[in-house]
Amino acid sequence: MPLISSFDPWRSGLCTCPPKLTFNPYTGCDHNCLYCYASSYIPAFRDCRPKKDLIATLRREAIKLRGQTISIANSSDPYPRKEVSECLTRRCLEVLAGCNCKIQIITKSNLVARDADLLCKIPSTVALTITTENEFLSTVIEPNAPSPSQRIRAAEDLIKAGVPVSVRIDPIIPSVNDQPQRLLKTLGDIGVKHVTCSTYKSKPDNWARLRLALPKVMEQLKPLYFNEGERIGGSALLPKDYRYRLLKNVRDMALAQGLQFGVCREGLAGLSTAVCDGSWLMPKTKGDFI
């Protein structure tokens, strides 16, 4: 199997991302987010481990790049806790920085700010997931991820270093994090230009985890997901009209703060004011940095 492949999320017509490549330096993730969907299809997901022969394989494949955008990473966070000591994602960035490509990082870790010195020199952007600004709630639903305040500080540091940042408020769970006014104001104040949202998509394993942690909320949501909602690609979704109202409300809040807005895998592309993955923020060439 090649390390770098075309980004094709389950051949889903819901995806509105522009064409790009993707790879994951690690298999699995140790953030242990309760709502995670990747744990349903990646074996031993919580056992985070590096890809075999990662750097050597990347060097062989990267020399063939011809200006494509590479998304790092779409299934396993490129900044798990062991990246602090392993530095594998940083080594990957060092390899890619010398090749003809653009880099898009998707992460939930403030550790990405460590690599601002590399990212600011190449066409790149960072999509940083900040599900909630509520520190306690984050410890419940994202037990091993960096705190929201750490991630907000990382976004601010990246922007100051010249690295464009978009923020994913993802997933939106009704009655949990569906009123992000304070977070959106903070993001606008520190210079974030774009937010992307999607609603929680239920799979058996992530539903079971959330039901244990948030029993009252999930009991209230149960009929919406399993009686009135949609089944798409093996996931249970909220009813489409409910998702529209939920996401439009967040979009209106975002626009009020001067932020562009995107929706991800919802079948509601008309709500987006900018490309959902934030790639529109990316400098087009190295010359744009001069």
Side-chain angles (χ1 to χ4, degrees):
M1 292 290 292
L3 183 63
I4 301 173
S5 61
S6 294
F7 177 67
D8 184 9
W10 318 285
R11 297 178 173 85
S12 171
L14 295 180
C15 181
T16 55
C17 285
K20 55 188 170 184
L21 302 174
T22 186
F23 89 94
N24 296 276
Y26 295 88
T27 298
C29 180
D30 60 9
H31 290 157
N32 290 350
C33 300
L34 304 189
Y35 50 74
C36 179
Y37 64 88
S39 62
S40 68
Y41 64 85
I42 296 178
F45 186 73
R46 295 190 178 188
D47 176 22
C48 183
R49 60 271 188 200
K51 295 284 188 179
K52 184 179 179 180
D53 300 324
L54 173 65
I55 304 303
T57 303
L58 182 62
R59 286 196 180 109
R60 289 195 301 270
E61 295 185 15
I63 60 175
K64 302 174 185 177
L65 296 172
R66 297 293 182 269
Q68 300 99 319
T69 295
I70 298 183
S71 181
I72 313 170
N74 293 95
S75 293
S76 301
D77 199 300
Y79 292 94
R81 290 179 294 172
K82 63 175 54 182
E83 172 65 15
V84 174
S85 58
E86 298 282 349
C87 292
L88 290 175
T89 294
R90 182 173 177 85
R91 291 174 64 193
C92 290
L93 291 176
E94 289 171 344
V95 171
L96 293 170
C99 300
N100 184 15
C101 68
K102 305 177 184 72
I103 296 173
Q104 179 185 41
I105 290 179
I106 304 170
T107 183
K108 197 172 289 168
S109 175
N110 62 321
L111 187 57
V112 64
R114 176 200 65 186
D115 296 334
D117 62 316
L118 293 172
L119 295 169
C120 72
K121 297 174 183 176
I122 54 179
S124 67
T125 187
V126 172
L128 189 59
T129 299
I130 306 176
T131 312
T132 175
E133 83 288 347
N134 186 303
E135 302 279 329
F136 175 74
L137 176 60
S138 180
T139 65
V140 173
I141 64 175
E142 306 164 334
N144 291 342
S147 70
S149 59
Q150 288 175 308
R151 285 178 257 172
I152 290 169
R153 176 62 184 271
E156 189 171 17
D157 289 346
L158 287 163
I159 291 167
K160 287 179 179 178
V163 180
V165 174
S166 62
V167 167
R168 297 185 65 92
I169 306 177
D170 177 23
I172 296 283
I173 306 174
S175 301
V176 176
N177 66 332
D178 57 346
Q179 298 295 325
Q181 295 99 323
R182 287 178 55 194
L183 176 57
L184 289 166
K185 184 179 187 310
T186 297
L187 298 179
D189 288 345
I190 67 174
V192 171
K193 303 297 184 186
H194 177 251
V195 295
T196 294
C197 295
S198 68
T199 59
Y200 164 64
K201 296 166 179 62
S202 171
K203 289 184 175 290
D205 62 332
N206 64 31
W207 181 271
R209 293 190 295 261
L210 283 167
R211 187 178 60 185
L212 285 174
L214 304 169
K216 292 183 180 179
V217 171
M218 302 314 289
E219 186 62 28
Q220 292 171 353
L221 295 179
K222 187 175 180 180
L224 282 170
Y225 274 93
F226 302 114
N227 297 336
E228 304 168 35
E230 295 185 88
R231 293 286 301 185
I232 300 177
S235 298
L237 279 67
L238 292 163
K240 190 170 185 177
D241 60 343
Y242 191 107
R243 302 198 315 270
Y244 177 86
R245 293 193 301 271
L246 196 66
L247 292 167
K248 184 179 183 301
N249 184 50
V250 179
R251 185 192 72 162
D252 292 346
M253 295 179 200
L255 296 182
Q257 297 299 328
L259 300 163
Q260 296 296 319
F261 182 79
V263 293
C264 178
R265 295 185 298 117
E266 294 286 349
L268 298 170
L271 285 175
S272 296
T273 64
V275 177
C276 61
D277 67 351
S279 56
W280 64 278
L281 291 163
M282 192 182 304
K284 299 298 184 292
T285 66
K286 290 184 179 181
D288 289 347
F289 293 94
I290 298 174

